[in-house]
Amino acid sequence: MNRDEKKALISFLTIYVVSAILLIGVILYIYYKNETKMLEESCTMELHNASMHIKNEIINKYMKNQKFNPNKLENINIKYGLFNKDKKVIFSYLDKNFEVDFSKDSYVNEFYNYFITTLDEENIPIKYIVLETCQEVQNKNKLQIFILVILFLSAIFIGFIGYLLSKILLNPVRQRVEALDKFIKDSAHELNTPISVLMTSVSMLKNGKNPQKMMKYILSSSKQISQIYNDIHFSAFNELNEDVFEEFNLKDLVGESIEFFNDISITKDITINSDLEDCFIKMDRTKTQKIVNNLLSNAIKYSKKDSIIEVSLEKNILKVKDFGIGISKEDQKEIFKRYKRGNNTEGGFGIGLDIVKRVCDEYNLSLELKSFVDKESTFSIDFSSIVITDILQK
């Protein structure tokens, strides 16, 4: 992973994790507030019920002229104390480390909840019943620990998921960058051969050495450079162009392309044989030219020296057959993908067949490849779906 990828990864993770944790934090905060409110109401209700129980028991005992004997409550978390009108202790289970604030009916300190009930009976010396419980505080502490654990585990989970997502998102970008980097290097390499031949031929032509042969090399190199430029331009900008549908004879277009590539094939002493029938179609002429040119260019690049290329147009099917290095079964599955080359030791940089595939898909043309390693390769395109039948009938 390079420096820019690390920077992008860290930025993505930071934004993703922080925003996700903030969202979860807000949800947990709302949950905490609701839970604490419920705990307060529950605790207040329990203290109130306990105070009413003690109060009723005290009143019943004094009405029967019996002595009230304080006993612990069933809920061991609730303790209580009894105070006279001067706020002096009559009896107490309360924690002696804390002073009772009689100015409030209920309050909370850092350890306990207090609830105070007043008795207005004159013949009863007990004036105040003070209840104390740590249940709410303990429950709040447990709730806080629970929320912190959830937040911590959520942060780890979100970070892990964010890392996986970022890797998944960055992987296509990395592959794209690597492919583009490879494409640039291959483009430079691809252009290097015709440019070198062109410069050498011009130099020899200036010296008057074999001018006729040098002119052929110059013409061949110029056409190769033109073909490479056209492929790059078409691949990069074709999506911005609208189709211009024309009616034309595919036979004439294929014948023009063969004539054009004859000047290129001569550098490898390759002969292009053709057997063409009339085939009138309606589609974008430029894109049709791209299909034919790239099939011929591909055939020349991967053909052996002193070999032949057979081009046929029969029953609306265009076939380009070369007797070159062939394409393995494994590579045949990937050969139409952009920047994919059948053999890295040969020319080309992997956009020619991609263009062919894209145009065929656009016009629903059937594209087939049959190839045998070190023997031959045949590309077939069926134009039947766009043939103008009226012209053929005439």
Side-chain angles (χ1 to χ4, degrees), residues 239-272:
E239 294 174 358
L240 303 176
N241 299 330
E242 294 183 358
D243 287 357
V244 179
F245 289 92
E246 301 178 49
E247 296 180 0
F248 58 91
N249 192 343
L250 182 60
K251 174 184 175 181
D252 297 335
L253 186 145
V254 174
E256 292 171 5
S257 294
I258 292 173
E259 185 178 349
F260 178 88
F261 280 95
N262 272 328
D263 292 323
I264 297 176
S265 64
I266 197 172
T267 58
K268 294 177 71 174
D269 295 322
I270 295 172
T271 302
I272 303 177

PDB file of all heavy atoms in Angstrom, residues 239-272:
ATOM      1  N   GLU A 239     -17.337   7.474 -25.495  1.00  0.00           N
ATOM      2  CA  GLU A 239     -18.577   7.548 -24.723  1.00  0.00           C
ATOM      3  C   GLU A 239     -19.242   8.912 -24.840  1.00  0.00           C
ATOM      4  O   GLU A 239     -20.421   9.064 -24.564  1.00  0.00           O
ATOM      5  CB  GLU A 239     -18.290   7.223 -23.255  1.00  0.00           C
ATOM      6  CG  GLU A 239     -17.846   5.774 -23.053  1.00  0.00           C
ATOM      7  CD  GLU A 239     -17.434   5.498 -21.619  1.00  0.00           C
ATOM      8  OE1 GLU A 239     -17.461   6.450 -20.830  1.00  0.00           O
ATOM      9  OE2 GLU A 239     -17.092   4.353 -21.310  1.00  0.00           O
ATOM     10  N   LEU A 240     -18.458   9.928 -25.232  1.00  0.00           N
ATOM     11  CA  LEU A 240     -19.004  11.276 -25.366  1.00  0.00           C
ATOM     12  C   LEU A 240     -19.619  11.507 -26.741  1.00  0.00           C
ATOM     13  O   LEU A 240     -20.320  12.494 -26.953  1.00  0.00           O
ATOM     14  CB  LEU A 240     -17.897  12.324 -25.117  1.00  0.00           C
ATOM     15  CG  LEU A 240     -17.194  12.232 -23.753  1.00  0.00           C
ATOM     16  CD1 LEU A 240     -16.082  13.263 -23.700  1.00  0.00           C
ATOM     17  CD2 LEU A 240     -18.178  12.462 -22.621  1.00  0.00           C
ATOM     18  N   ASN A 241     -19.333  10.616 -27.691  1.00  0.00           N
ATOM     19  CA  ASN A 241     -19.794  10.795 -29.068  1.00  0.00           C
ATOM     20  C   ASN A 241     -21.116  10.070 -29.298  1.00  0.00           C
ATOM     21  O   ASN A 241     -21.344   8.984 -28.802  1.00  0.00           O
ATOM     22  CB  ASN A 241     -18.743  10.272 -30.061  1.00  0.00           C
ATOM     23  CG  ASN A 241     -17.423  11.016 -29.931  1.00  0.00           C
ATOM     24  OD1 ASN A 241     -17.408  12.180 -29.570  1.00  0.00           O
ATOM     25  ND2 ASN A 241     -16.333  10.341 -30.247  1.00  0.00           N
ATOM     26  N   GLU A 242     -21.967  10.684 -30.107  1.00  0.00           N
ATOM     27  CA  GLU A 242     -23.229  10.053 -30.476  1.00  0.00           C
ATOM     28  C   GLU A 242     -23.044   9.240 -31.743  1.00  0.00           C
ATOM     29  O   GLU A 242     -22.237   9.572 -32.608  1.00  0.00           O
ATOM     30  CB  GLU A 242     -24.306  11.125 -30.687  1.00  0.00           C
ATOM     31  CG  GLU A 242     -24.671  11.890 -29.413  1.00  0.00           C
ATOM     32  CD  GLU A 242     -25.787  12.890 -29.662  1.00  0.00           C
ATOM     33  OE1 GLU A 242     -26.223  12.990 -30.827  1.00  0.00           O
ATOM     34  OE2 GLU A 242     -26.194  13.562 -28.709  1.00  0.00           O
ATOM     35  N   ASP A 243     -23.827   8.161 -31.869  1.00  0.00           N
ATOM     36  CA  ASP A 243     -23.735   7.321 -33.060  1.00  0.00           C
ATOM     37  C   ASP A 243     -24.315   8.043 -34.266  1.00  0.00           C
ATOM     38  O   ASP A 243     -25.331   8.749 -34.162  1.00  0.00           O
ATOM     39  CB  ASP A 243     -24.496   6.015 -32.843  1.00  0.00           C
ATOM     40  CG  ASP A 243     -23.764   5.088 -31.886  1.00  0.00           C
ATOM     41  OD1 ASP A 243     -22.660   5.453 -31.458  1.00  0.00           O
ATOM     42  OD2 ASP A 243     -24.301   4.018 -31.560  1.00  0.00           O
ATOM     43  N   VAL A 244     -23.665   7.866 -35.412  1.00  0.00           N
ATOM     44  CA  VAL A 244     -24.172   8.382 -36.684  1.00  0.00           C
ATOM     45  C   VAL A 244     -24.461   7.166 -37.563  1.00  0.00           C
ATOM     46  O   VAL A 244     -23.539   6.551 -38.116  1.00  0.00           O
ATOM     47  CB  VAL A 244     -23.144   9.320 -37.368  1.00  0.00           C
ATOM     48  CG1 VAL A 244     -23.697   9.814 -38.697  1.00  0.00           C
ATOM     49  CG2 VAL A 244     -22.786  10.484 -36.453  1.00  0.00           C
ATOM     50  N   PHE A 245     -25.717   6.798 -37.675  1.00  0.00           N
ATOM     51  CA  PHE A 245     -26.078   5.593 -38.415  1.00  0.00           C
ATOM     52  C   PHE A 245     -26.034   5.859 -39.921  1.00  0.00           C
ATOM     53  O   PHE A 245     -26.546   6.871 -40.404  1.00  0.00           O
ATOM     54  CB  PHE A 245     -27.481   5.116 -38.008  1.00  0.00           C
ATOM     55  CG  PHE A 245     -27.532   4.538 -36.627  1.00  0.00           C
ATOM     56  CD1 PHE A 245     -27.846   5.336 -35.525  1.00  0.00           C
ATOM     57  CD2 PHE A 245     -27.253   3.199 -36.418  1.00  0.00           C
ATOM     58  CE1 PHE A 245     -27.892   4.799 -34.248  1.00  0.00           C
ATOM     59  CE2 PHE A 245     -27.304   2.653 -35.139  1.00  0.00           C
ATOM     60  CZ  PHE A 245     -27.615   3.461 -34.067  1.00  0.00           C
ATOM     61  N   GLU A 246     -25.393   4.927 -40.618  1.00  0.00           N
ATOM     62  CA  GLU A 246     -25.280   5.003 -42.066  1.00  0.00           C
ATOM     63  C   GLU A 246     -25.587   3.647 -42.673  1.00  0.00           C
ATOM     64  O   GLU A 246     -25.381   2.600 -42.041  1.00  0.00           O
ATOM     65  CB  GLU A 246     -23.861   5.425 -42.486  1.00  0.00           C
ATOM     66  CG  GLU A 246     -23.406   6.773 -41.945  1.00  0.00           C
ATOM     67  CD  GLU A 246     -21.976   7.080 -42.376  1.00  0.00           C
ATOM     68  OE1 GLU A 246     -21.678   6.942 -43.584  1.00  0.00           O
ATOM     69  OE2 GLU A 246     -21.165   7.442 -41.504  1.00  0.00           O
ATOM     70  N   GLU A 247     -26.048   3.674 -43.904  1.00  0.00           N
ATOM     71  CA  GLU A 247     -26.236   2.446 -44.659  1.00  0.00           C
ATOM     72  C   GLU A 247     -25.060   2.300 -45.626  1.00  0.00           C
ATOM     73  O   GLU A 247     -24.814   3.191 -46.441  1.00  0.00           O
ATOM     74  CB  GLU A 247     -27.563   2.481 -45.426  1.00  0.00           C
ATOM     75  CG  GLU A 247     -28.792   2.543 -44.515  1.00  0.00           C
ATOM     76  CD  GLU A 247     -30.090   2.570 -45.310  1.00  0.00           C
ATOM     77  OE1 GLU A 247     -30.018   2.546 -46.566  1.00  0.00           O
ATOM     78  OE2 GLU A 247     -31.157   2.626 -44.683  1.00  0.00           O
ATOM     79  N   PHE A 248     -24.344   1.206 -45.521  1.00  0.00           N
ATOM     80  CA  PHE A 248     -23.174   1.013 -46.379  1.00  0.00           C
ATOM     81  C   PHE A 248     -22.898  -0.471 -46.549  1.00  0.00           C
ATOM     82  O   PHE A 248     -23.433  -1.312 -45.822  1.00  0.00           O
ATOM     83  CB  PHE A 248     -21.941   1.726 -45.795  1.00  0.00           C
ATOM     84  CG  PHE A 248     -21.568   1.279 -44.415  1.00  0.00           C
ATOM     85  CD1 PHE A 248     -20.665   0.240 -44.214  1.00  0.00           C
ATOM     86  CD2 PHE A 248     -22.122   1.893 -43.286  1.00  0.00           C
ATOM     87  CE1 PHE A 248     -20.324  -0.175 -42.945  1.00  0.00           C
ATOM     88  CE2 PHE A 248     -21.775   1.488 -42.009  1.00  0.00           C
ATOM     89  CZ  PHE A 248     -20.876   0.447 -41.836  1.00  0.00           C
ATOM     90  N   ASN A 249     -22.019  -0.747 -47.513  1.00  0.00           N
ATOM     91  CA  ASN A 249     -21.636  -2.121 -47.810  1.00  0.00           C
ATOM     92  C   ASN A 249     -20.404  -2.474 -46.989  1.00  0.00           C
ATOM     93  O   ASN A 249     -19.336  -1.870 -47.155  1.00  0.00           O
ATOM     94  CB  ASN A 249     -21.336  -2.277 -49.304  1.00  0.00           C
ATOM     95  CG  ASN A 249     -21.229  -3.738 -49.716  1.00  0.00           C
ATOM     96  OD1 ASN A 249     -21.072  -4.626 -48.875  1.00  0.00           O
ATOM     97  ND2 ASN A 249     -21.308  -3.997 -51.015  1.00  0.00           N
ATOM     98  N   LEU A 250     -20.557  -3.451 -46.110  1.00  0.00           N
ATOM     99  CA  LEU A 250     -19.446  -3.858 -45.249  1.00  0.00           C
ATOM    100  C   LEU A 250     -18.273  -4.378 -46.072  1.00  0.00           C
ATOM    101  O   LEU A 250     -17.113  -4.221 -45.680  1.00  0.00           O
ATOM    102  CB  LEU A 250     -19.936  -4.930 -44.255  1.00  0.00           C
ATOM    103  CG  LEU A 250     -18.917  -5.449 -43.240  1.00  0.00           C
ATOM    104  CD1 LEU A 250     -18.396  -4.323 -42.366  1.00  0.00           C
ATOM    105  CD2 LEU A 250     -19.538  -6.543 -42.372  1.00  0.00           C
ATOM    106  N   LYS A 251     -18.567  -4.948 -47.220  1.00  0.00           N
ATOM    107  CA  LYS A 251     -17.517  -5.464 -48.098  1.00  0.00           C
ATOM    108  C   LYS A 251     -16.532  -4.354 -48.485  1.00  0.00           C
ATOM    109  O   LYS A 251     -15.308  -4.546 -48.457  1.00  0.00           O
ATOM    110  CB  LYS A 251     -18.151  -6.068 -49.361  1.00  0.00           C
ATOM    111  CG  LYS A 251     -17.151  -6.511 -50.420  1.00  0.00           C
ATOM    112  CD  LYS A 251     -17.872  -6.995 -51.666  1.00  0.00           C
ATOM    113  CE  LYS A 251     -16.865  -7.327 -52.775  1.00  0.00           C
ATOM    114  NZ  LYS A 251     -17.550  -7.791 -54.008  1.00  0.00           N
ATOM    115  N   ASP A 252     -17.068  -3.179 -48.842  1.00  0.00           N
ATOM    116  CA  ASP A 252     -16.200  -2.059 -49.238  1.00  0.00           C
ATOM    117  C   ASP A 252     -15.350  -1.576 -48.068  1.00  0.00           C
ATOM    118  O   ASP A 252     -14.161  -1.275 -48.227  1.00  0.00           O
ATOM    119  CB  ASP A 252     -17.052  -0.902 -49.767  1.00  0.00           C
ATOM    120  CG  ASP A 252     -17.829  -1.282 -51.021  1.00  0.00           C
ATOM    121  OD1 ASP A 252     -17.371  -2.205 -51.723  1.00  0.00           O
ATOM    122  OD2 ASP A 252     -18.881  -0.663 -51.282  1.00  0.00           O
ATOM    123  N   LEU A 253     -15.961  -1.509 -46.889  1.00  0.00           N
ATOM    124  CA  LEU A 253     -15.230  -1.034 -45.709  1.00  0.00           C
ATOM    125  C   LEU A 253     -14.096  -1.997 -45.352  1.00  0.00           C
ATOM    126  O   LEU A 253     -12.979  -1.574 -45.053  1.00  0.00           O
ATOM    127  CB  LEU A 253     -16.197  -0.871 -44.535  1.00  0.00           C
ATOM    128  CG  LEU A 253     -15.631  -0.251 -43.252  1.00  0.00           C
ATOM    129  CD1 LEU A 253     -16.688   0.622 -42.569  1.00  0.00           C
ATOM    130  CD2 LEU A 253     -15.168  -1.328 -42.275  1.00  0.00           C
ATOM    131  N   VAL A 254     -14.379  -3.302 -45.396  1.00  0.00           N
ATOM    132  CA  VAL A 254     -13.350  -4.302 -45.079  1.00  0.00           C
ATOM    133  C   VAL A 254     -12.225  -4.224 -46.107  1.00  0.00           C
ATOM    134  O   VAL A 254     -11.036  -4.321 -45.769  1.00  0.00           O
ATOM    135  CB  VAL A 254     -13.956  -5.713 -45.032  1.00  0.00           C
ATOM    136  CG1 VAL A 254     -12.857  -6.765 -44.843  1.00  0.00           C
ATOM    137  CG2 VAL A 254     -14.975  -5.825 -43.907  1.00  0.00           C
ATOM    138  N   GLY A 255     -12.597  -4.048 -47.384  1.00  0.00           N
ATOM    139  CA  GLY A 255     -11.582  -3.924 -48.438  1.00  0.00           C
ATOM    140  C   GLY A 255     -10.669  -2.735 -48.214  1.00  0.00           C
ATOM    141  O   GLY A 255      -9.440  -2.833 -48.402  1.00  0.00           O
ATOM    142  N   GLU A 256     -11.236  -1.587 -47.785  1.00  0.00           N
ATOM    143  CA  GLU A 256     -10.424  -0.400 -47.499  1.00  0.00           C
ATOM    144  C   GLU A 256      -9.461  -0.664 -46.341  1.00  0.00           C
ATOM    145  O   GLU A 256      -8.300  -0.240 -46.355  1.00  0.00           O
ATOM    146  CB  GLU A 256     -11.342   0.774 -47.154  1.00  0.00           C
ATOM    147  CG  GLU A 256     -12.180   1.271 -48.322  1.00  0.00           C
ATOM    148  CD  GLU A 256     -13.232   2.277 -47.887  1.00  0.00           C
ATOM    149  OE1 GLU A 256     -13.225   2.651 -46.688  1.00  0.00           O
ATOM    150  OE2 GLU A 256     -14.065   2.686 -48.725  1.00  0.00           O
ATOM    151  N   SER A 257      -9.949  -1.352 -45.309  1.00  0.00           N
ATOM    152  CA  SER A 257      -9.097  -1.657 -44.153  1.00  0.00           C
ATOM    153  C   SER A 257      -7.959  -2.594 -44.542  1.00  0.00           C
ATOM    154  O   SER A 257      -6.816  -2.418 -44.090  1.00  0.00           O
ATOM    155  CB  SER A 257      -9.936  -2.286 -43.038  1.00  0.00           C
ATOM    156  OG  SER A 257     -10.863  -1.368 -42.523  1.00  0.00           O
ATOM    157  N   ILE A 258      -8.246  -3.582 -45.378  1.00  0.00           N
ATOM    158  CA  ILE A 258      -7.191  -4.501 -45.824  1.00  0.00           C
ATOM    159  C   ILE A 258      -6.122  -3.746 -46.604  1.00  0.00           C
ATOM    160  O   ILE A 258      -4.912  -3.964 -46.420  1.00  0.00           O
ATOM    161  CB  ILE A 258      -7.807  -5.634 -46.679  1.00  0.00           C
ATOM    162  CG1 ILE A 258      -8.674  -6.543 -45.804  1.00  0.00           C
ATOM    163  CG2 ILE A 258      -6.708  -6.448 -47.371  1.00  0.00           C
ATOM    164  CD1 ILE A 258      -9.453  -7.586 -46.586  1.00  0.00           C
ATOM    165  N   GLU A 259      -6.569  -2.846 -47.464  1.00  0.00           N
ATOM    166  CA  GLU A 259      -5.618  -2.033 -48.235  1.00  0.00           C
ATOM    167  C   GLU A 259      -4.753  -1.180 -47.297  1.00  0.00           C
ATOM    168  O   GLU A 259      -3.547  -1.033 -47.507  1.00  0.00           O
ATOM    169  CB  GLU A 259      -6.384  -1.140 -49.216  1.00  0.00           C
ATOM    170  CG  GLU A 259      -5.489  -0.349 -50.157  1.00  0.00           C
ATOM    171  CD  GLU A 259      -6.280   0.488 -51.133  1.00  0.00           C
ATOM    172  OE1 GLU A 259      -7.513   0.306 -51.238  1.00  0.00           O
ATOM    173  OE2 GLU A 259      -5.665   1.348 -51.800  1.00  0.00           O
ATOM    174  N   PHE A 260      -5.390  -0.633 -46.271  1.00  0.00           N
ATOM    175  CA  PHE A 260      -4.662   0.186 -45.300  1.00  0.00           C
ATOM    176  C   PHE A 260      -3.608  -0.647 -44.568  1.00  0.00           C
ATOM    177  O   PHE A 260      -2.460  -0.218 -44.411  1.00  0.00           O
ATOM    178  CB  PHE A 260      -5.662   0.780 -44.289  1.00  0.00           C
ATOM    179  CG  PHE A 260      -5.032   1.603 -43.196  1.00  0.00           C
ATOM    180  CD1 PHE A 260      -4.800   2.946 -43.355  1.00  0.00           C
ATOM    181  CD2 PHE A 260      -4.672   1.009 -41.977  1.00  0.00           C
ATOM    182  CE1 PHE A 260      -4.219   3.705 -42.331  1.00  0.00           C
ATOM    183  CE2 PHE A 260      -4.103   1.754 -40.957  1.00  0.00           C
ATOM    184  CZ  PHE A 260      -3.874   3.107 -41.146  1.00  0.00           C
ATOM    185  N   PHE A 261      -3.973  -1.849 -44.140  1.00  0.00           N
ATOM    186  CA  PHE A 261      -3.061  -2.670 -43.338  1.00  0.00           C
ATOM    187  C   PHE A 261      -2.050  -3.451 -44.181  1.00  0.00           C
ATOM    188  O   PHE A 261      -1.119  -4.026 -43.612  1.00  0.00           O
ATOM    189  CB  PHE A 261      -3.867  -3.623 -42.446  1.00  0.00           C
ATOM    190  CG  PHE A 261      -4.398  -2.963 -41.204  1.00  0.00           C
ATOM    191  CD1 PHE A 261      -5.689  -2.444 -41.177  1.00  0.00           C
ATOM    192  CD2 PHE A 261      -3.614  -2.823 -40.075  1.00  0.00           C
ATOM    193  CE1 PHE A 261      -6.177  -1.823 -40.050  1.00  0.00           C
ATOM    194  CE2 PHE A 261      -4.098  -2.202 -38.937  1.00  0.00           C
ATOM    195  CZ  PHE A 261      -5.382  -1.693 -38.915  1.00  0.00           C
ATOM    196  N   ASN A 262      -2.231  -3.466 -45.473  1.00  0.00           N
ATOM    197  CA  ASN A 262      -1.219  -4.105 -46.322  1.00  0.00           C
ATOM    198  C   ASN A 262       0.135  -3.420 -46.180  1.00  0.00           C
ATOM    199  O   ASN A 262       1.187  -4.072 -46.229  1.00  0.00           O
ATOM    200  CB  ASN A 262      -1.662  -4.079 -47.790  1.00  0.00           C
ATOM    201  CG  ASN A 262      -2.514  -5.286 -48.145  1.00  0.00           C
ATOM    202  OD1 ASN A 262      -2.320  -6.371 -47.592  1.00  0.00           O
ATOM    203  ND2 ASN A 262      -3.459  -5.110 -49.059  1.00  0.00           N
ATOM    204  N   ASP A 263       0.106  -2.097 -45.974  1.00  0.00           N
ATOM    205  CA  ASP A 263       1.359  -1.351 -45.811  1.00  0.00           C
ATOM    206  C   ASP A 263       2.002  -1.613 -44.451  1.00  0.00           C
ATOM    207  O   ASP A 263       3.192  -1.362 -44.263  1.00  0.00           O
ATOM    208  CB  ASP A 263       1.107   0.151 -45.967  1.00  0.00           C
ATOM    209  CG  ASP A 263       0.716   0.523 -47.389  1.00  0.00           C
ATOM    210  OD1 ASP A 263       1.277  -0.088 -48.322  1.00  0.00           O
ATOM    211  OD2 ASP A 263      -0.138   1.414 -47.568  1.00  0.00           O
ATOM    212  N   ILE A 264       1.199  -2.085 -43.481  1.00  0.00           N
ATOM    213  CA  ILE A 264       1.739  -2.420 -42.162  1.00  0.00           C
ATOM    214  C   ILE A 264       2.229  -3.862 -42.129  1.00  0.00           C
ATOM    215  O   ILE A 264       3.295  -4.169 -41.592  1.00  0.00           O
ATOM    216  CB  ILE A 264       0.669  -2.192 -41.075  1.00  0.00           C
ATOM    217  CG1 ILE A 264       0.270  -0.710 -41.021  1.00  0.00           C
ATOM    218  CG2 ILE A 264       1.177  -2.639 -39.707  1.00  0.00           C
ATOM    219  CD1 ILE A 264      -0.846  -0.401 -40.048  1.00  0.00           C
ATOM    220  N   SER A 265       1.455  -4.756 -42.744  1.00  0.00           N
ATOM    221  CA  SER A 265       1.814  -6.178 -42.724  1.00  0.00           C
ATOM    222  C   SER A 265       3.086  -6.473 -43.508  1.00  0.00           C
ATOM    223  O   SER A 265       3.752  -7.479 -43.257  1.00  0.00           O
ATOM    224  CB  SER A 265       0.658  -7.013 -43.280  1.00  0.00           C
ATOM    225  OG  SER A 265       0.425  -6.694 -44.650  1.00  0.00           O
ATOM    226  N   ILE A 266       3.434  -5.570 -44.424  1.00  0.00           N
ATOM    227  CA  ILE A 266       4.618  -5.814 -45.254  1.00  0.00           C
ATOM    228  C   ILE A 266       5.897  -5.847 -44.430  1.00  0.00           C
ATOM    229  O   ILE A 266       6.883  -6.475 -44.806  1.00  0.00           O
ATOM    230  CB  ILE A 266       4.708  -4.732 -46.367  1.00  0.00           C
ATOM    231  CG1 ILE A 266       5.665  -5.193 -47.470  1.00  0.00           C
ATOM    232  CG2 ILE A 266       5.147  -3.392 -45.792  1.00  0.00           C
ATOM    233  CD1 ILE A 266       5.674  -4.287 -48.684  1.00  0.00           C
ATOM    234  N   THR A 267       5.906  -5.170 -43.278  1.00  0.00           N
ATOM    235  CA  THR A 267       7.102  -5.140 -42.428  1.00  0.00           C
ATOM    236  C   THR A 267       7.396  -6.511 -41.823  1.00  0.00           C
ATOM    237  O   THR A 267       8.522  -6.780 -41.411  1.00  0.00           O
ATOM    238  CB  THR A 267       6.943  -4.109 -41.294  1.00  0.00           C
ATOM    239  OG1 THR A 267       5.796  -4.432 -40.518  1.00  0.00           O
ATOM    240  CG2 THR A 267       6.783  -2.699 -41.848  1.00  0.00           C
ATOM    241  N   LYS A 268       6.368  -7.387 -41.747  1.00  0.00           N
ATOM    242  CA  LYS A 268       6.573  -8.757 -41.250  1.00  0.00           C
ATOM    243  C   LYS A 268       6.410  -9.787 -42.369  1.00  0.00           C
ATOM    244  O   LYS A 268       6.346 -10.990 -42.102  1.00  0.00           O
ATOM    245  CB  LYS A 268       5.577  -9.057 -40.121  1.00  0.00           C
ATOM    246  CG  LYS A 268       5.804  -8.225 -38.862  1.00  0.00           C
ATOM    247  CD  LYS A 268       4.753  -8.502 -37.793  1.00  0.00           C
ATOM    248  CE  LYS A 268       4.925  -9.864 -37.162  1.00  0.00           C
ATOM    249  NZ  LYS A 268       4.003 -10.084 -36.019  1.00  0.00           N
ATOM    250  N   ASP A 269       6.354  -9.266 -43.604  1.00  0.00           N
ATOM    251  CA  ASP A 269       6.176 -10.141 -44.775  1.00  0.00           C
ATOM    252  C   ASP A 269       4.941 -11.020 -44.629  1.00  0.00           C
ATOM    253  O   ASP A 269       4.956 -12.222 -44.927  1.00  0.00           O
ATOM    254  CB  ASP A 269       7.422 -11.016 -44.995  1.00  0.00           C
ATOM    255  CG  ASP A 269       8.650 -10.176 -45.344  1.00  0.00           C
ATOM    256  OD1 ASP A 269       8.483  -9.187 -46.090  1.00  0.00           O
ATOM    257  OD2 ASP A 269       9.741 -10.500 -44.851  1.00  0.00           O
ATOM    258  N   ILE A 270       3.867 -10.384 -44.156  1.00  0.00           N
ATOM    259  CA  ILE A 270       2.595 -11.087 -43.985  1.00  0.00           C
ATOM    260  C   ILE A 270       1.681 -10.753 -45.157  1.00  0.00           C
ATOM    261  O   ILE A 270       1.554  -9.594 -45.564  1.00  0.00           O
ATOM    262  CB  ILE A 270       1.917 -10.691 -42.660  1.00  0.00           C
ATOM    263  CG1 ILE A 270       2.763 -11.159 -41.466  1.00  0.00           C
ATOM    264  CG2 ILE A 270       0.509 -11.266 -42.552  1.00  0.00           C
ATOM    265  CD1 ILE A 270       2.262 -10.654 -40.131  1.00  0.00           C
ATOM    266  N   THR A 271       1.029 -11.758 -45.696  1.00  0.00           N
ATOM    267  CA  THR A 271       0.095 -11.569 -46.802  1.00  0.00           C
ATOM    268  C   THR A 271      -1.329 -11.668 -46.281  1.00  0.00           C
ATOM    269  O   THR A 271      -1.674 -12.597 -45.541  1.00  0.00           O
ATOM    270  CB  THR A 271       0.316 -12.646 -47.886  1.00  0.00           C
ATOM    271  OG1 THR A 271       1.664 -12.578 -48.346  1.00  0.00           O
ATOM    272  CG2 THR A 271      -0.623 -12.421 -49.065  1.00  0.00           C
ATOM    273  N   ILE A 272      -2.163 -10.696 -46.666  1.00  0.00           N
ATOM    274  CA  ILE A 272      -3.567 -10.704 -46.267  1.00  0.00           C
ATOM    275  C   ILE A 272      -4.408 -11.149 -47.453  1.00  0.00           C
ATOM    276  O   ILE A 272      -4.488 -10.446 -48.471  1.00  0.00           O
ATOM    277  CB  ILE A 272      -4.029  -9.320 -45.782  1.00  0.00           C
ATOM    278  CG1 ILE A 272      -3.159  -8.833 -44.619  1.00  0.00           C
ATOM    279  CG2 ILE A 272      -5.495  -9.361 -45.353  1.00  0.00           C
ATOM    280  CD1 ILE A 272      -3.503  -7.444 -44.129  1.00  0.00           C
TER     281      ILE A 272
END
